[in-house]
Amino acid sequence: MSENVVHLHKPTDPPTDDAAPTVLTVVPDAPPAAPVPLWVRSGRAVKHAVTHETTKTAVRAVARHGLYTFNGGRIVARRTWDGKTGARYERMIRTAEAAGNLEAAEEWEERLQRFRAARHHRRMDLLHSPVEAAKGIAVGTGVSIGVLVALGVVMAINNHDVTDVITPLRATIDFIALLIRIVQVVWGPALTIGPFLALLALWTVGSKQQAAPQWALPANVRNGEGEPITPSIVVKALRDLGVPALRNAIKEMGDAGASMLGPIRIAGCGVEVDVTLPSGVSTNEVQGKRRKLAENLTRHEHEVFITIPTAARTVRLWVADSGALDEPIGPSPLVTDETLTANYKTGKAPWGQDLRGDAAQISLFQRHLLITGLSNQGKTAALRSLALWLALDRSVQFWTADLKGVGDWRFMDGIADVLIQGPTDDHVIQATEMAEAAVDEMNRRLQARQSDPHAVFPPLIVIVDEAQVAFMCPAKDEENRPYGGSKATSRYFMAVRKIHNQGRAVDVLMWQGTQDPTNDNLPKLVREGAHTRASLALGTEQQARMALGDKAVDGGAAPNLLRPGLDKGTLVVASDGITIPAGQASITVRTHYIDDDAAEALAERAKALRNGITTLHVVDNDREVRDPLADIASVLGTDTRVLTQDVLKRLAVLAPDTYGKWSFIDLKRVLDGTGAEPYKSDGRMVIGRDRLARALADRDETGSASASE
């Protein structure tokens, strides 16, 4: 039993006269803890010693220097063997044959024959060299003795001493004896130090070649981000890629793989090089190892892009300068150049920069557009930057539906003829009716084109942002036809398909922005109907194929490898409207970001070019009996006069069920006899706002008089 211990608790306050006495408490000792076994303490100590950073550093240092020496010996042996044999020539012959260059193979074959002939002559000379050497030594010795004796005779005559005749000969013998003694003294230490000097020489060769595994190299080499891209680094990265056929082919090449590489060219914020792969290695084997190749090049995965140029068995590597892709690209020319204008037919929108730092400009002429990506990656910003540029062409008309409804497109008020903003089913219904009205306008233009093949129409851009909301809408109309979905009865889907099929011929174009594509929220027929397809960061390769198509992904497009959040605003684009390097199926574009304030300023410039457009804000989906005169007055807005064809289009958007099939005859029928009939202005039929206002006022007065009677 353990002894009791008395603990004295002292009061913390200073003592007073009436303070309580000090309390003594007897507390029994706690039972002693069980001792930790020795083997447990030893195991912990060993584990700590093994995993300690100092231990790891020491192990790496020992392994590194040992492998430097060993691999240095291999390198020296390889060089010696190449110098003594025709191995180098044979490797060059195999390299030329693998590349299909028969002329080079024949040239190296001739060099090999000359090397073998010269070596044969040297070996034949060695057979006669002992006799020749003996004769040379005998003659040389005799001549030397004669010269020394002659020199001694001269000295004897000069000194009048006959013993000087052998003085030069004796001095020579003494010198030779001195050399022998020096060799005897040095020979022992040389035998001891010589092997160490040889190992030092081998270590020097290995260290210069960094002939050790990556994990054993020093931290500054192992983490050498930003290291310049050189031919040796590229070849080494390909050799260590884990493709056996590629590794063996590089080992057999006489130039250690240098013949595979084209010139390394500076391309924007990185470099570009074409690599001709040896026979037996396919391009997709290299494409599939993008991450490992990037790490071998001391880069992050997003800093290396692999594409397929036109040449067979060739991959094109673009390697960014370390950290360059994380730097901003600067403001849009739309913001910095207030004199910039747009031309729908011949112009190109300044969208951003490609990876080479060149301006990425895209033509929007008669091209349907689809932009997709994960949420909050810059889809709306990329889409509206194109709309802002095109708004500077006053001939272009816009019908816009923003199914997010947070104000991203509010700047279109006063530019767009129709602007719908909101995420509810009612807004989807309105967007669907807007698309169907665009189909009716397309059909009207097609009919007009039949009677007049040279008829020209103003471009109509139908924009639906967050289109996945429309495809997933569960609402149905009175005939039980769904607004969403991808069936033949789905109203939005069919409207988009019809515009995709025939719209570009009469400049009725569909622009859609969607997020997180699936077969449900972005049907196959819709995504394949777009001429320009662009994708921000995506989650999977399957989504990348949905966004861009199989051809672009097989050609190297990889939006699924973009980094969500970090590569915000970076698009992979597949389109014939943008300049894409020869042989590639896509191009990566870092888009300019235009904030809300800049967008409002650009919108004001666009409004100044236009003649007071009144934007229709469709809110309710009513199907009540319409008042044609009042509706015409509402679509005229503040315009003094409006072309009759524009009035018809605005009426079709306002109430598609009532006015969707109206023609000029219907419009004229309603206005006949009211005093607001269409009339010509500058050779075109228009409707005047003041005349229509007087007609409405007269009608109201007539109606009031009739009611009073």
Side-chain angles (χ1 to χ4, degrees), residues 106-287:
E106 292 177 358
E107 181 181 351
W108 283 108
E109 179 68 25
E110 293 178 0
R111 293 185 181 182
L112 177 59
Q113 294 300 331
R114 290 196 297 269
F115 169 79
R116 287 174 175 171
R119 185 179 60 183
H120 175 72
H121 287 303
R122 288 195 301 271
R123 290 176 176 175
M124 294 302 295
D125 291 340
L126 289 176
L127 296 177
H128 306 285
S129 59
V131 177
E132 298 296 332
K135 291 181 179 179
I137 292 173
V139 172
T141 302
V143 172
S144 300
I145 293 174
V147 171
L148 293 173
V149 171
L151 181 60
V153 171
V154 172
M155 291 177 62
I157 295 172
N158 184 61
N159 296 331
H160 304 285
D161 187 356
V162 70
T163 59
D164 286 341
V165 173
I166 62 173
T167 297
L169 189 59
R170 185 186 301 114
T172 301
I173 295 172
D174 292 340
F175 177 72
I176 294 173
L178 177 62
L179 292 178
I180 293 174
R181 284 194 298 272
I182 292 174
V183 171
Q184 288 175 344
V185 172
V186 174
W187 183 252
L191 290 178
T192 304
I193 300 175
F196 293 101
L197 294 177
L199 292 176
L200 179 61
L202 298 178
W203 178 89
T204 303
V205 173
S207 64
K208 288 183 178 179
Q209 297 292 326
Q210 296 290 330
Q214 190 73 13
W215 60 266
L217 294 176
N220 60 338
V221 177
R222 190 169 60 251
N223 302 323
E225 296 184 3
E227 185 178 2
I229 300 301
T230 61
S232 61
I233 288 177
V234 176
V235 172
K236 187 174 183 294
L238 293 169
R239 185 195 67 193
D240 299 337
L241 203 55
V243 180
L246 180 59
R247 181 180 63 250
N248 295 334
I250 292 175
K251 286 183 178 180
E252 293 177 357
M253 291 180 182
D255 57 358
S259 60
M260 296 192 308
L261 307 184
I264 297 179
R265 304 176 296 273
I266 296 176
C269 57
V271 295
E272 186 178 73
V273 59
D274 287 349
V275 181
T276 303
L277 301 176
S279 178
V281 182
S282 62
T283 54
N284 61 356
E285 287 182 282
V286 177
Q287 279 186 303

Side-chain angles (χ1 to χ4, degrees), residues 631-643:
D631 286 344
I632 294 172
S634 67
V635 300
L636 289 182
T638 59
D639 294 340
T640 304
R641 62 182 68 86
V642 178
L643 296 174

Side-chain angles (χ1 to χ4, degrees), residues 324-342:
L325 295 183
D326 297 327
E327 298 294 331
I329 64 171
S332 169
L334 288 172
V335 177
T336 58
D337 186 1
E338 295 185 357
T339 63
L340 191 66
T341 59

Side-chain angles (χ1 to χ4, degrees), residues 24 36 156 212 454 704:
L24 296 177
V36 179
H454 301 291
S704 299

Side-chain angles (χ1 to χ4, degrees), residues 200-430:
L200 179 61
L202 298 178
W203 178 89
T204 303
V205 173
S207 64
K208 288 183 178 179
Q209 297 292 326
Q210 296 290 330
Q214 190 73 13
W215 60 266
L217 294 176
N220 60 338
V221 177
R222 190 169 60 251
N223 302 323
E225 296 184 3
E227 185 178 2
I229 300 301
T230 61
S232 61
I233 288 177
V234 176
V235 172
K236 187 174 183 294
L238 293 169
R239 185 195 67 193
D240 299 337
L241 203 55
V243 180
L246 180 59
R247 181 180 63 250
N248 295 334
I250 292 175
K251 286 183 178 180
E252 293 177 357
M253 291 180 182
D255 57 358
S259 60
M260 296 192 308
L261 307 184
I264 297 179
R265 304 176 296 273
I266 296 176
C269 57
V271 295
E272 186 178 73
V273 59
D274 287 349
V275 181
T276 303
L277 301 176
S279 178
V281 182
S282 62
T283 54
N284 61 356
E285 287 182 282
V286 177
Q287 279 186 303
K289 294 182 176 292
R290 176 184 173 187
R291 173 175 294 181
K292 189 170 185 179
L293 178 60
E295 292 172 350
N296 290 348
L297 293 169
T298 65
R299 295 294 190 274
H300 296 291
E301 184 177 10
H302 72 277
E303 295 176 328
V304 174
F305 288 82
I306 306 173
T307 54
I308 310 298
T310 53
R313 279 193 296 111
T314 302
V315 293
R316 178 168 294 162
L317 306 181
W318 185 85
V319 185
D321 297 337
S322 184
L325 295 183
D326 297 327
E327 298 294 331
I329 64 171
S332 169
L334 288 172
V335 177
T336 58
D337 186 1
E338 295 185 357
T339 63
L340 191 66
T341 59
N343 188 298
Y344 163 75
K345 187 173 182 180
T346 61
K348 289 189 175 184
W351 210 5
Q353 292 180 1
D354 61 18
L355 296 179
R356 294 164 182 80
D358 299 328
Q361 299 178 326
I362 185 168
S363 172
L364 305 174
F365 176 63
Q366 293 187 342
R367 290 178 176 87
H368 302 300
L369 175 67
L370 172 65
I371 300 179
T372 187
L374 298 178
S375 177
N376 195 32
Q377 298 303 309
K379 166 182 54 63
T380 298
L383 185 60
R384 75 179 190 175
S385 66
L386 298 179
L388 283 167
W389 175 80
L390 197 56
L392 297 177
D393 185 343
R394 60 183 300 174
S395 68
V396 179
Q397 300 172 351
F398 293 94
W399 294 0
T400 305
D402 174 16
L403 297 182
K404 183 188 298 182
V406 296
D408 289 337
W409 293 86
R410 68 168 67 92
F411 65 87
M412 293 295 282
D413 192 357
I415 297 177
D417 294 300
V418 181
L419 179 58
I420 300 169
Q421 300 181 90
T424 66
D425 289 349
D426 286 340
H427 294 98
V428 172
I429 292 172
Q430 294 162 10

